[in-house]
């Protein structure tokens, strides 16, 4: 890692925070299946299972799904097989509850151990649901590809000041240089999150692992947009992740 001169006195502190993560890149493709890793489109969903709905009984939309057999190995906490899905309500808060951000009512995180069950192939019941209040365009479906990377703690992570000190944050030149390198603003699994405002977690949080992060981006003719160019994050406890228990996940999004 080559640091700018202003950050070189803090190189050891920065190195101490390095973590591996999986960078997600998105592209348009005509060959995306129901079980591929993707953003948008229709999900793999077993025919005999009830489809996820909101408290108002409206079907939730697929935000993204991750097929763990497609991602590179290197983060031991992650499953190596199975399909993980993220569903959101189409409403003015994209299914988020500011008071209970881990209550899976306006959003749902679903894990399928296998995709061998017969899959639903008629999604006409979704046609009446508007995309006017959703982070994705109606026609959006983007393929994911993955790379293992490494990055230091992002500047808005809740424990940044505990590691670097308040004097570091109060120095605008330091923070600007640091943010340029380690904002955390991209699509990723694991590592450190990025925020356009602040980390909703604190020192007592059980949600210590970044399960999935989707940033705002225009890809070809398709657009992902969280409010005013924001970002969405999903967090889980590491022990829950190792046990493949996705019933307790913290969902957050913010924008500038």
């Amino acid at each position: 890692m080559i640091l700018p001169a202003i950050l070189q006195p803090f190189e050891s502190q920065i190195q101490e925070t390095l973590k591996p993560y999986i960078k997600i890149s998105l592209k348009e493709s005509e060959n995306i299946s129901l079980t591929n890793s993707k953003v948008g489109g229709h999900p793999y969903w077993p025919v005999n299972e009830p489809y996820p709905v909101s408290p108002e009984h409206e079907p939730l939309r697929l935000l993204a799904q991750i097929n763990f057999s497609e991602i590179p190995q290197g983060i031991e906490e992650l499953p190596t097989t199975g399909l993980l899905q993220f569903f959101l309500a189409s409403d003015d808060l994209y299914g988020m509850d500011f008071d209970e951000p881990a209550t899976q009512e306006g959003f749902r995180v679903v894990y399928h151990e296998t995709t061998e069950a017969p899959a639903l192939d008629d999604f006409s019941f979704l046609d009446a649901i508007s995309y006017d209040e959703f982070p994705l365009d109606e026609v959006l479906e983007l393929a994911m590809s993955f790379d293992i990377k490494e990055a230091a703690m992002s500047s808005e992570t809740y424990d940044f000041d505990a590691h670097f000190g308040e004097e570091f944050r109060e120095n605008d030149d330091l923070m600007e240089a640091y943010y340029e390198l380690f904002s955390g603003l991209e699509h990723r699994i694991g590592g450190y999150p990025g925020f356009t405002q602040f980390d909703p977690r604190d020192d007592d949080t059980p949600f210590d692992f970044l399960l999935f992060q989707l940033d705002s981006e225009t890809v070809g003719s398709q657009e992902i947009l969280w409010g005013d160019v924001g970002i969405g994050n999903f967090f889980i406890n590491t022990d829950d992740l190792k046990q493949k228990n996705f019933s307790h996940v913290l969902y957050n999004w913010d924008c500038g």
Side-chain angles (χ1 to χ4, degrees), residues 38-43 51 58-64 86-92 94 123-141 222-227:
K38 61 183 179 178
V39 170
H42 291 148
Y51 190 87
E58 288 193 341
L60 303 183
R61 290 280 189 179
L62 179 69
L63 176 72
F86 302 85
F87 294 87
L88 303 182
S90 183
D91 61 30
D92 59 350
Y94 309 147
F123 293 93
S124 58
F125 63 93
L126 294 174
D127 292 346
I129 306 301
S130 171
Y131 271 89
D132 291 344
E133 295 176 327
F134 201 75
L136 311 181
D137 289 340
E138 183 171 1
V139 298
L140 185 146
E141 186 176 39
Q222 304 185 58
E223 185 175 55
I224 304 166
L225 188 63
W226 296 89

Side-chain angles (χ1 to χ4, degrees), residues 203-215:
D203 291 339
D204 298 322
T205 184
F207 301 104
D208 58 341
F209 191 95
L210 179 60
L211 183 60
F212 176 56
Q213 177 171 284
L214 187 68
D215 203 351

Side-chain angles (χ1 to χ4, degrees), residues 6-154:
I6 192 172
L7 292 178
Q8 288 176 6
F10 304 92
E11 182 172 4
S12 62
Q13 285 176 273
I14 293 171
Q15 292 277 358
E16 288 169 2
T17 72
L18 289 175
K19 277 187 183 180
Y21 72 95
I22 296 173
K23 179 180 178 179
I24 302 172
S25 299
L26 304 176
K27 66 177 181 180
E28 294 181 312
S29 174
E30 296 180 356
N31 300 306
I32 306 174
S33 76
L34 282 179
T35 60
N36 283 150
S37 301
K38 61 183 179 178
V39 170
H42 291 148
Y44 163 82
W45 194 262
V47 171
N48 295 324
E49 291 188 16
Y51 190 87
V53 297
S54 72
E56 293 73 35
H57 306 291
E58 288 193 341
L60 303 183
R61 290 280 189 179
L62 179 69
L63 176 72
Q65 65 183 29
I66 297 165
N67 188 325
F68 285 113
S69 67
E70 298 175 350
I71 70 173
Q73 304 304 304
I75 299 181
E76 62 180 15
E77 296 90 347
L78 294 174
T80 56
T81 60
L83 187 69
L84 184 65
Q85 299 172 318
F86 302 85
F87 294 87
L88 303 182
S90 183
D91 61 30
D92 59 350
L93 292 178
Y94 309 147
M96 187 172 73
D97 184 334
F98 284 106
D99 296 322
E100 299 290 342
T103 299
Q104 294 194 33
E105 292 186 350
F107 78 100
R108 201 86 80 253
V109 180
V110 180
Y111 177 69
H112 303 279
E113 286 273 5
T114 72
T115 55
E116 296 175 357
L120 186 67
D121 61 4
D122 179 4
F123 293 93
S124 58
F125 63 93
L126 294 174
D127 292 346
I129 306 301
S130 171
Y131 271 89
D132 291 344
E133 295 176 327
F134 201 75
L136 311 181
D137 289 340
E138 183 171 1
V139 298
L140 185 146
E141 186 176 39
L142 297 169
M144 292 183 179
S145 60
F146 306 97
D147 294 288
I148 285 282
K149 300 285 186 179
E150 189 176 56
M153 180 184 293
S154 50

Side-chain angles (χ1 to χ4, degrees), residues 146-212:
F146 306 97
D147 294 288
I148 285 282
K149 300 285 186 179
E150 189 176 56
M153 180 184 293
S154 50
S155 56
E156 298 307 316
T157 304
Y158 71 90
D159 53 350
F160 181 90
D161 289 356
H163 185 78
F164 287 96
E166 292 185 10
E167 290 185 4
F168 191 107
R169 180 171 296 281
E170 290 170 358
N171 187 313
D172 291 341
D173 293 334
L174 274 177
M175 287 300 294
E176 182 177 353
Y178 192 93
Y179 185 83
E180 284 293 316
L181 289 176
F182 308 115
S183 70
L185 297 176
E186 64 181 350
H187 319 303
R188 57 173 59 179
I189 301 166
Y192 296 99
F195 305 96
T196 59
Q197 293 188 28
F198 58 87
D199 195 334
R201 303 169 299 162
D202 57 27
D203 291 339
D204 298 322
T205 184
F207 301 104
D208 58 341
F209 191 95
L210 179 60
L211 183 60
F212 176 56

Side-chain angles (χ1 to χ4, degrees), residues 236-254:
I236 192 170
N237 178 265
T238 296
D239 289 337
D240 283 341
L241 177 58
K242 290 178 178 179
Q243 296 169 21
K244 302 177 184 177
N245 174 12
F246 297 95
S247 62
H248 197 45
V249 171
L250 175 67
Y251 162 47
N252 176 77
W253 72 271
D254 62 20

